Every structure is written in C-alpha cells, then in structure tokens.
C-alpha cells in the first residue's frame, strides 16, 4: 500500500515541484535512517523526466555527477528527450572522461525508452571508445524494451555494417551474454540451446563466451 501511494505521488511530479519532492526523499532518509532505495530511483528518474537540465544541474558537481542520483536523473531525462540530454552533456566541458562515459551509458540506454531507432543511431554516432563503453547498459535496456528479437535485429544490423570490427565483436559478445543469461539463470537447457542456435546463425560462437556463461 505504501509503495502504491508513493508511486501515485511521483506521478504528480512536474517541473514546478520536482526539487521539493526529491528533497523530501532526502529529508525522510536523513530523519529515519531508512535507505529508501526504490523511492530514490523513482524520484530521480521522474525528476529527470520533468526537470531536464534543471534537475541534472543539482548533480552537476565533481563527485556528484555519477552518483546513483546523478545517473538516475540522466537516465530519466534521456528517456523523454535524449537530444537535449546529449547537448547538456556535450556542453559540460569540465567533466572528466570517466564521468562522461558513465553518464553516456545512462543517456544512451535511457534513450531506448524514448525511441529505439534514435537510440541506436545516437550510439552509432559516438566515437569508437565511447560507444564501446555504452554497449553493455544499452543492450540491457534494449532487451527490456524489445525482447530477444529486438536484440537479434540490432546484432544483425551491426554485423552487417561493421563486420569484423572491434565494435561488432563487442556487440556480439554482449548480446550473447544477455540472451544466454535467462536460460542459464533458470538452468533451462532448451532455452540456452535455442538462443545459441539463433546467435550462431549470425556470428561465430566464441568458446570463451560459452565457458563464461556457464
């Protein structure tokens, strides 16, 4: 019941009250000692969605940008306006490479919730090192939104356009890990076999991937 009531409150969050509502989560956590992890996740994500740059500026300080709160806010913002989030990140000239990489992972994966094809293009347009670092969170959220078939469609597209590249190999490896995980986690040999067959129809299976998945 408490969870339901809290979510109803966050549904009413908008650009005029997001700062007050996020502040209330901080106050309650401080006063009670409770972690309130779920409330923080929803509050920060929603603040990013309705507050955009104003919400992100709260964390725009070294040491705060890539805390859970900063990442969650960026993810929420990118889930409704990834282009604006990218402009903000590109303008943050004082940000360290590590901070930028962490926030890019949140941005590109959040963009999947806004427009899958736009998110794919945004990832593809990044410099090689940056897009390589974003593949893991991207594939996780791609599967959450489009399922295994969506992941396979993306794999086929990347292999077709960049076959033999380090990026294509990275995508292949991460798609393999994500698809095989569900069957391995439930010890379902039939599911794992089916996924191995569908992946091997697109890229050669590396024995090291199989060993790691076990």
């Amino acid at each position: 019941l408490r969870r339901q009531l809290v979510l109803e409150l966050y549904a009413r969050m908008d650009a005029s009250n997001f700062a007050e509502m996020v502040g209330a989560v901080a106050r309650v956590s401080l006063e009670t000692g409770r972690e309130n992890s779920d409330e923080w996740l929803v509050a920060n994500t929603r603040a990013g969605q309705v507050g955009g740059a104003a919400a992100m500026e709260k964390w725009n300080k070294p040491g705060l940008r890539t805390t859970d709160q900063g990442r969650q806010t960026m993810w929420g913002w990118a889930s409704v306006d990834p282009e604006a989030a990218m402009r903000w990140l590109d303008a943050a000239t004082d940000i360290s490479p590590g901070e930028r990489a962490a926030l890019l992972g949140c941005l590109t994966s959040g963009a999947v919730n806004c427009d899958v094809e736009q998110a794919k293009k945004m990832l593809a347009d990044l410099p090689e090192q940056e897009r390589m670092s974003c593949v893991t969170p991207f594939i996780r959220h791609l599967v959450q939104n489009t399922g295994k078939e969506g992941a396979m469609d993306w794999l086929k597209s990347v292999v077709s356009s960049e076959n033999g590249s380090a990026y294509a190999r990275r995508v292949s490896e991460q798609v393999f890990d994500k698809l095989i995980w569900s069957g391995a986690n439930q010890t379902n040999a039939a599911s794992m076999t089916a996924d191995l067959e569908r992946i091997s129809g697109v890229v050669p299976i590396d024995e090291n991937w199989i060993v790691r998945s076990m």
Side-chain angles (χ1 to χ4, degrees):
L1 176 59
R2 178 178 177 277
R3 176 70 57 80
Q4 178 182 347
L5 292 173
V6 167
L7 291 177
E8 288 177 0
L9 284 174
Y10 290 140
R12 303 174 194 172
M13 186 186 288
D14 57 34
S16 70
N17 62 21
F18 74 85
E20 181 182 2
M21 294 183 75
V22 172
V25 180
R27 176 179 56 78
V28 171
S29 295
L30 187 62
E31 291 176 353
T32 66
R34 298 184 180 124
E35 295 183 10
N36 296 319
S37 300
D38 292 344
E39 286 82 353
W40 271 117
L41 171 61
V42 177
N44 289 320
T45 299
R46 185 66 181 146
Q49 291 176 334
V50 301
M56 197 62 208
E57 283 299 328
K58 181 177 179 63
W59 315 113
N60 191 25
K61 301 177 182 66
L64 290 181
R65 294 180 180 122
T66 55
T67 58
D68 286 345
Q69 290 89 346
R71 293 178 188 228
Q72 291 160 1
T73 302
M74 174 58 77
W75 191 92
W77 187 8
S79 73
V80 296
D81 195 347
E83 291 183 352
M86 183 64 82
R87 288 193 297 271
W88 181 90
L89 187 56
D90 285 341
T93 55
D94 65 331
I95 199 168
S96 71
E99 289 177 314
R100 178 177 168 84
L103 291 177
L104 264 177
C106 299
L107 196 163
T108 53
S109 59
V112 172
N113 288 323
C114 180
D115 185 316
V116 173
E117 295 307 314
Q118 179 188 17
K120 291 177 182 177
K121 184 180 185 305
M122 182 174 285
L123 181 63
D125 289 343
L126 290 174
E128 181 75 359
Q129 184 176 352
E130 290 190 338
R131 67 175 179 164
M132 291 277 279
S133 70
C134 292
V135 169
T136 299
F138 187 87
I139 188 61
R140 183 168 65 248
H141 287 89
L142 182 64
V143 171
Q144 286 294 106
N145 281 268
T146 66
K148 292 181 178 181
E149 292 305 322
M152 286 302 304
D153 287 344
W154 184 50
L155 174 60
K156 292 172 185 176
S157 174
V158 172
V159 170
S160 174
S161 62
E162 302 193 37
N163 192 25
S165 70
Y167 179 65
R169 180 171 176 80
R170 177 68 171 163
V171 170
S172 301
E173 176 185 321
Q174 290 302 303
V175 169
F176 175 91
D177 284 354
K178 182 60 179 171
L179 267 59
I180 294 297
W181 174 84
S182 56
N185 188 54
Q186 298 187 36
T187 322
N188 189 313
S191 174
M192 294 176 68
T193 299
D195 288 330
L196 283 170
E197 289 178 347
R198 78 166 87 189
I199 295 171
S200 65
V202 180
V203 294
I205 299 295
D206 189 314
E207 289 185 4
N208 292 326
W209 301 352
I210 298 176
V211 172
R212 187 175 63 248
S213 70
M214 297 298 110

